[in-house]
Amino acid sequence: MSGAPESARPMSAHGKQQPLLRYPAPAAGNGSGSGMGRRRYLAFLAIAAALVASYHLLHAPTPSSRYHALFLTLGSNASAAAHLRALTLRPHVAGTQANALAAEYVRATLSSLSFPTRVTPYSVLLSYPVHRSLSLSAGPGRPNNVFPLVQETYPGDPYAEAAAEVVPTYFAYSGSGSVTAEVVYANYGDRKDYAYLASRGVDVAGKVVLARYGDIHCEDMVRNARDAGAAAAIIYTDAKDFGGPAAKGKQKWFPNTRWLPPSGVQVGTLYYGNGDPTTPMWPSCAAGEDCERLSMEELDASEAMPGIPALPVSGRDGETIQKAMGGGVAPPEWQGGEGAPVYRIGPGPAVLNLTYIGNDTLATIENVFAVIEGKEEPDRYVIIGNHRDAWTFGAVDPNSGTAAMLEIAERLSQLEKKGWRPRRTIIVCSWDAEEFALIGSTEWAEDNIDIIGSRAVAYLNVDISVFGPGGLVPRATPQLDELIQEASRMVPDPDDPSHTLYDYMIRQNPPIARVAGAGTDFAAFVQHIGVPSLDMSYGLFSEYPVYHSLYDDFVWMQRFGDPLFHRHVALASVWGLIALRLADDEIIPFNYVSYASELEESSKVVEDGCPGCAVSFSPLHKSIKQLEKAAMKIHMEKKVLQADKWGLNTRERTLKVREMNDRLMMAERAFTNREGLAGRPWYKHMIYASSDQDDWGTKAFPGIVSAMANAQKLNTSESWRLLQHEIYRGARAVSKASAVLDGRLT
């Protein structure tokens, strides 16, 4: 950021060859049924099961299924570990030389497997710190406290020298300026927290807000502070949430435990949008090429920019500020953990003097691709992706995912050597600048929107492959649910090989979440274009307290995240198997019956949130019934075709398969609307998008939910009319998807 790191020698992941570590035979799993139209659905399943049984009696296992079984035996813990070590030798934030070296490592690894590779550069607006300072005046007769704003290394830290290259703690795209003002404590910085402050008579206008990480993303926290009138914001990592349980007689944080040290700081981005800020809604271009861009003046006036200075600080610094505060005592749920001082809401008497000067500048980023061309349908794409750039070393976020993706590529290369070729094209993507605003994936998706829209079967994302212990945690669009369950039954749980990944997943509620909140690189594919999408990880975010800090390094992963690297291999196995099924199955393994069930349940939740409202939800319910019928119809057609009951000749069968696959693939596109969500035109999916108050939050029917909240707040005839309009818009999207699945013209 304030300067690119020095050059380093090219990295190599491969040392002495070690034997492959293979899994035992997988254990059996248990199924579960749908909640909608249960009798009809069970009757349908009985018919389908009979058809499938007759099919298996007449047909031997396909060659592709044998390759898929072989794929599961080829996992290498040693390879995953070697890739992760190589990728995390240095901090590699986007736009720096170290990240260019990481891009070259990924490209060279994929190229060495004989996959055609390419690098696509874009010139985009990135943001780095130039000057930061923060001091505290605690009142008359008390000395000022100048905060060092440094994350500390520890004795024996093998990455201490490389840590000097870490960009100083900051928020990308923060407003520049100096502010001296009293402090107000705002808990987690949610809108309801500001409403509480107002109820206590605390005026935030012109003050410095102190808030702690927890409920929402930093960009929402700073935006809420700005909207409340604050002059600046400080966000800290409270020991209650990131410091771990109290421990006596020993240091309770990393490197001795997984918990964040007192000097640890969680950095992030404050841009409230996706992609290059200078090219919203259209693609950027490479350096030296001519493309339309917003000016810095236009950007500064944009609501997407935070508009006020903000800094992330450590838990130790946050607690120091808390000790100097006065005013009323904060409520119990706003308090810290054991040993923390009593938290007060202010304002003052503590006064903070904050200065932040940033450099927002055009820099080159690089997306890296490998293409495994399909044999029968090369114009149909199964896309798997992970971002490569990291705020610091990135051992968990994101390079655990990069290591798993490269391990998948090595397995696919071994399959190729044994004669395998995918039916459809597989594209392996290493995205850049995700941490700034999902920039690499968004620019490429916008650059190729029409081709992706007509050819992409699915996008399969893994940002973080391993948080730590736990189990498989997927989120997806619902037509992928059945495939995820089938694949997860084939992979033993690395922490309990007597069970499968499915066994843990199915006990969760829900077993599979939805790709609605932004957060990572699936956003451009599902929320902007309408491509069926998946994201998954092993373990839970709560097991990863060093998120976006200096301590996200190989040592942390090796000691706490995945000491044997068997979780990496398990995640790669299920990720790769899903990709293989989508690439090789003659008929795309989508099931929209669960989609209809999901929408019926979601619509009831939305309607229950508006009891007695003067609007009608009947258009939405009617459209979901249409989707249910269309989903059941194509599901039955698929089973009949698989059982070869129509007696089609080769040409007829080929055309029928293609037609059916087009319906299955394109139905998700129909859930989009070209105008997008009200006030958020980039988000075009009418069913799944992030909340307009929480970029990480998940909302089904986001347009309806937002309009409902507005109508309940304003209670005007126009606001209720707009809510009804959004209900109709959602219903039309569902009806469009039904028509595509049904394959009919009106």
Side-chain angles (χ1 to χ4, degrees):
M1 326 272 279
S2 56
E6 296 178 2
S7 175
R9 290 175 293 178
M11 297 174 286
S12 171
H14 303 287
K16 182 179 179 181
Q17 185 66 37
Q18 299 187 33
L20 297 179
L21 301 180
R22 295 187 172 91
Y23 284 121
N30 297 315
S32 64
S34 169
M36 177 202 63
R38 187 169 182 80
R39 290 185 178 178
R40 282 177 294 160
Y41 185 53
L42 291 176
F44 167 78
L45 287 181
I47 297 170
L51 291 171
V52 172
S54 65
Y55 173 77
H56 283 296
L57 288 173
L58 296 171
H59 296 80
T62 63
S64 61
S65 66
R66 292 194 295 269
Y67 285 122
H68 298 177
L70 177 60
F71 172 84
L72 294 177
T73 72
L74 298 175
S76 170
N77 309 42
S79 178
H83 287 309
L84 187 64
R85 185 185 292 275
L87 287 161
T88 58
L89 289 175
R90 299 172 63 189
H92 48 286
V93 76
T96 64
Q97 185 182 19
N99 199 41
L101 288 172
E104 174 54 24
Y105 175 83
V106 171
R107 188 208 63 78
T109 299
L110 294 170
S111 182
S112 71
L113 303 174
S114 301
F115 295 147
T117 61
R118 71 174 188 274
V119 176
T120 302
Y122 293 100
S123 178
V124 301
L125 190 76
L126 300 183
S127 177
Y128 308 107
V130 174
H131 174 75
R132 312 158 306 135
S133 66
L134 181 68
S135 62
L136 168 69
S137 174
R142 301 178 68 180
N144 288 350
N145 190 320
V146 178
F147 296 103
L149 303 180
V150 172
Q151 300 185 85
E152 299 168 357
T153 59
Y154 55 89
D157 183 354
Y159 294 99
E161 184 176 349
E165 299 179 4
V166 171
V167 174
T169 53
Y170 79 117
F171 283 134
Y173 307 109
S174 169
S176 292
S178 294
V179 173
T180 299
E182 290 182 319
V183 186
V184 170
Y185 172 49
N187 193 28
Y188 291 115
D190 205 338
R191 291 186 183 183
K192 65 179 182 293
D193 295 326
Y194 289 99
Y196 175 80
L197 288 173
S199 73
R200 292 278 299 267
V202 176
D203 186 5
V204 177
K207 306 298 192 297
V208 176
V209 161
L210 176 70
R212 56 182 177 176
Y213 275 107
D215 286 356
I216 58 176
H217 192 249
C218 59
E219 65 201 52
D220 297 291
M221 297 171 76
V222 174
R223 186 168 64 126
N224 291 343
R226 177 199 67 191
D227 292 347
I234 298 292
I235 313 296
Y236 76 100
T237 46
D238 198 310
K240 175 182 178 180
D241 301 301
F242 297 91
K248 295 181 179 180
K250 66 176 183 178
Q251 185 171 293
K252 65 172 185 175
W253 50 78
F254 182 74
N256 294 325
T257 72
R258 67 173 59 248
W259 297 100
L260 186 70
S263 69
V265 178
Q266 184 183 138
V267 303
T269 183
L270 300 184
Y271 176 61
Y272 199 76
N274 293 343
D276 173 21
T278 69
T279 60
M281 302 293 293
W282 67 88
S284 185
C285 53
E289 296 180 4
D290 182 35
C291 56
E292 180 184 10
R293 295 187 187 275
L294 298 182
S295 68
M296 290 306 301
E297 290 74 20
E298 290 172 309
L299 269 177
D300 289 341
S302 168
E303 282 290 307
M305 287 297 189
I308 60 174
L311 276 177
V313 302
S314 67
R316 182 169 61 197
D317 293 347
E319 189 170 295
T320 298
I321 298 170
Q322 289 280 6
K323 290 177 179 177
M325 291 188 64
V329 175
E333 61 271 23
W334 288 34
Q335 294 295 327
E338 183 179 346
V342 174
Y343 289 1
R344 296 180 176 275
I345 58 177
V351 172
L352 283 176
N353 187 330
L354 178 155
T355 297
Y356 177 79
I357 305 298
N359 177 25
D360 295 352
T361 183
L362 290 177
T364 294
I365 64 170
E366 295 177 314
N367 292 332
V368 181
F369 303 93
V371 179
I372 309 171
E373 187 171 352
K375 186 177 182 180
E376 287 88 359
E377 298 181 76
D379 62 334
R380 292 292 181 259
Y381 304 149
V382 175
I383 307 171
I384 69 173
N386 158 266
H387 79 92
R388 180 188 64 255
D389 66 296
W391 288 118
T392 63
F393 294 98
V396 179
D397 182 10
N399 297 129
S400 65
T402 315
M405 188 169 72
L406 294 177
E407 204 265 330
I408 289 173
E410 289 176 343
R411 296 198 222 180
L412 297 181
S413 178
Q414 293 181 66
L415 293 186
E416 274 200 332
K417 292 175 182 177
K418 295 183 181 297
W420 168 80
R421 280 278 304 279
R423 177 185 181 93
R424 303 178 186 93
T425 296
I426 297 175
I427 304 176
V428 180
C429 311
S430 174
W431 308 118
D432 205 348
E434 186 270 359
E435 296 292 7
F436 283 84
L438 317 183
I439 293 178
S441 58
T442 299
E443 296 312 307
W444 187 77
E446 291 175 344
D447 211 6
N448 298 277
I449 187 169
D450 295 310
I451 296 177
I452 294 171
S454 62
R455 298 184 180 184
V457 174
Y459 175 67
L460 311 177
N461 188 74
V462 167
D463 187 326
I464 295 167
S465 70
V466 178
F467 287 113
L472 181 66
V473 182
R475 47 183 175 160
T477 43
Q479 73 274 72
L480 283 162
D481 286 1
E482 186 176 274
L483 176 57
I484 295 168
Q485 293 184 24
E486 291 173 358
S488 65
R489 285 190 178 101
M490 300 300 296
V491 181
D493 189 320
D495 292 337
D496 182 5
S498 65
H499 292 82
T500 66
L501 294 179
Y502 172 86
D503 296 325
Y504 172 87
M505 179 187 75
I506 205 64
R507 293 196 299 268
Q508 308 312 303
N509 185 25
I512 302 171
R514 297 298 160 221
V515 282
T520 191
D521 291 303
F522 60 71
F525 292 91
V526 64
Q527 295 164 2
H528 190 63
I529 301 177
V531 176
S533 294
L534 160 72
D535 184 66
M536 62 172 63
S537 62
Y538 190 93
L540 303 172
F541 183 77
S542 59
E543 296 293 330
Y544 172 46
V546 297
Y547 175 67
H548 284 186
S549 75
L550 174 70
Y551 311 101
D552 182 3
D553 63 16
F554 189 83
V555 174
W556 191 94
M557 177 61 77
Q558 192 175 43
R559 292 187 183 181
F560 307 112
D562 192 8
L564 299 178
F565 285 85
H566 58 330
R567 296 167 186 155
H568 282 75
V569 173
L571 192 285
S573 292
V574 70
W575 187 12
L577 183 58
I578 291 170
L580 284 170
R581 288 283 309 279
L582 289 166
D584 286 339
D585 282 16
E586 181 187 43
I587 302 174
I588 297 171
F590 288 162
N591 185 344
Y592 280 87
V593 174
S594 62
Y595 216 133
S597 175
E598 178 93 8
L599 295 192
E600 183 178 46
E601 293 173 5
S602 297
S603 67
K604 291 177 181 177
V605 171
V606 171
E607 187 172 6
D608 288 346
C610 200
C613 293
V615 294
S616 172
F617 284 88
S618 61
L620 186 60
H621 296 312
K622 180 180 177 181
S623 69
I624 293 171
K625 291 297 182 184
Q626 292 173 341
L627 182 65
E628 176 187 347
K629 292 177 182 178
M632 294 287 283
K633 174 186 173 183
I634 195 169
H635 197 60
M636 178 65 80
E637 289 177 2
K638 175 182 175 180
K639 296 303 181 184
V640 171
L641 183 58
Q642 286 174 325
D644 204 18
K645 291 292 185 178
W646 281 326
L648 304 175
N649 62 38
T650 301
R651 183 176 183 278
E652 290 171 336
R653 181 181 177 83
T654 299
L655 291 175
K656 182 61 179 176
V657 167
R658 180 75 170 194
E659 184 267 346
M660 184 175 291
N661 282 339
D662 283 349
R663 289 155 62 193
L664 289 166
M665 185 179 75
M666 298 303 292
E668 189 71 42
R669 314 287 198 273
F671 288 121
T672 63
N673 180 290
R674 69 183 63 185
E675 287 82 21
L677 297 178
R680 298 193 294 163
W682 189 89
Y683 291 93
K684 300 190 179 299
H685 207 285
M686 294 289 103
I687 311 302
Y688 295 119
S690 60
S691 163
D692 60 358
Q693 297 185 27
D694 177 6
D695 199 37
W696 280 3
T698 294
K699 292 294 181 186
F701 299 107
I704 299 175
V705 170
S706 180
M708 183 185 300
N710 193 56
Q712 290 171 327
K713 177 182 178 181
L714 300 178
N715 196 26
T716 62
S717 58
E718 177 62 12
S719 65
W720 291 111
R721 186 193 69 79
L722 290 175
L723 171 56
Q724 188 67 68
H725 173 62
E726 287 298 332
I727 294 170
Y728 276 116
R729 285 222 300 165
R732 285 193 290 271
V734 177
S735 294
K736 285 196 306 170
S738 303
V740 172
L741 278 181
D742 199 43
R744 60 178 167 80
L745 293 172
T746 56

